[in-house]
Amino acid sequence: MYEHLRGRWHRPRRWVRYDGSPEDFLLGSALALPALAALDGPARAAIVALVVVSALYALGRRTLVDAGERVVAVTPESVLAAVPETLIEDLR
């Protein structure tokens, strides 16, 4: 985990390193299995949809950082002045 306030990395202390990591997706999918077995109809469809969204997020999460860097690069300074520096310092 990266701590923006102090500018340093911390070792993971849990099974899931970060939001959108492969183990995050696997854990979520494993927890969805009992619900898929027990439910049907719209509830089952909703669970399947959420697992698909989770997979897409896990696959595309790293590209979101690149997109954030591009957005910050083209955002006027007058707008960036209203954003706390800790949120954008790594994207510059």
Side-chain angles (χ1 to χ4, degrees):
M1 177 180 87
Y2 187 73
E3 182 182 0
H4 292 274
L5 189 59
R6 292 191 177 104
R8 63 182 182 158
W9 285 94
H10 295 277
R11 229 183 79 222
R13 297 183 192 165
R14 298 188 171 93
W15 293 348
V16 177
R17 294 174 292 163
Y18 56 87
D19 179 46
S21 67
E23 57 268 23
D24 181 38
F25 172 70
L26 291 174
L27 179 62
S29 297
L31 293 173
L33 290 176
L36 285 173
L39 301 172
D40 61 355
R44 178 179 260 179
I47 293 167
V48 169
L50 289 171
V51 170
V52 168
V53 168
S54 178
L56 293 173
Y57 178 69
L59 289 171
R61 183 185 182 284
R62 291 184 184 251
T63 60
L64 293 175
V65 174
D66 296 334
E69 290 172 352
R70 288 191 299 272
V71 168
V72 168
V74 298
T75 302
E77 283 297 321
S78 59
V79 174
L80 291 178
V83 178
E85 186 63 31
T86 57
L87 295 178
I88 58 173
E89 64 188 8
D90 293 333
L91 296 175
R92 287 186 172 180

